């Protein structure tokens, strides 16, 4: 999700959606259509929430907070997709998914915060 977050912060919306789709497409070939659908739903909800928050970032939302909310949205999107595919409500998993989304959202946010200057520098050197 570090790459998706960087894309959302540094690239256009279509480019960011392409990253989400490509990331999910790898799962299609590796694990099948169900994994693709679950990944795509999580990725699209995550990016949608992330792009909305970036647009209103004037509210001083930190990189780590963006990452946590995005990770939790990703997990919720995956849970919705898995519930659709299974035909049953899987909402009992929600507390664990919220917890792990928050934990790994913090980790991703910290990694991105550390890497962001180098990534922007690399992006700028490629555009020259």
């Amino acid at each position: 999700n570090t790459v998706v977050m960087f894309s959302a912060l540094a690239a256009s919306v279509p480019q960011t959606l392409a990253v989400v789709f490509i990331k999910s497409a790898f799962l299609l070939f590796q694990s099948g259509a169900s994994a693709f659908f679950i990944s795509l739903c999580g990725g699209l909800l995550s990016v949608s929430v992330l792009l909305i928050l970036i647009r209103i970032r004037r509210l001083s939302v930190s990189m780590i907070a963006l990452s946590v909310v995005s990770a939790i949205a990703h997990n919720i999107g995956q849970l919705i997709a898995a519930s659709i595919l299974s035909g049953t409500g899987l909402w009992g998993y929600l507390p664990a998914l919220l917890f792990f989304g928050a934990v790994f959202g913090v980790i991703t946010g910290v990694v991105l915060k550390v890497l962001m200057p180098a990534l922007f520098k690399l992006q700028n050197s490629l555009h020259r």
Side-chain angles (χ1 to χ4, degrees):
N1 286 337
T2 305
V3 174
V4 174
M5 279 193 65
F6 176 73
S7 179
L9 291 164
S12 68
V13 171
Q15 290 169 326
T16 301
L17 292 174
V19 169
V20 170
F21 184 80
I22 291 167
K23 181 180 160 195
S24 298
F26 280 118
L27 283 174
L28 175 63
F29 299 116
Q30 181 181 11
S31 302
S34 295
F36 168 76
F37 179 69
I38 291 169
S39 174
L40 186 62
C41 289
L44 290 175
L45 185 58
S46 173
V47 165
S48 297
V49 169
L50 184 60
L51 291 172
I52 290 168
L53 289 175
I54 288 170
R55 293 217 188 269
I56 60 170
R57 196 164 178 199
R58 292 181 296 265
L59 301 175
S60 299
V61 179
S62 73
M63 185 74 62
I64 294 171
L66 285 173
S67 180
V68 168
V69 173
S70 177
I72 288 171
H74 191 276
N75 287 346
I76 291 171
Q78 288 181 316
L79 187 59
I80 291 168
S83 294
I84 291 168
L85 290 174
S86 70
T88 61
L90 300 171
W91 297 102
Y93 291 104
L94 187 60
L97 290 173
L98 293 175
F99 173 76
F100 287 110
V103 169
F104 286 100
V106 168
I107 293 168
T108 300
V110 168
V111 168
L112 189 59
K113 190 174 182 178
V114 169
L115 292 178
M116 191 67 93
L119 291 172
F120 275 124
K121 186 176 179 181
L122 177 63
Q123 181 189 32
N124 290 334
S125 70
L126 293 174
H127 287 289
R128 288 183 193 181

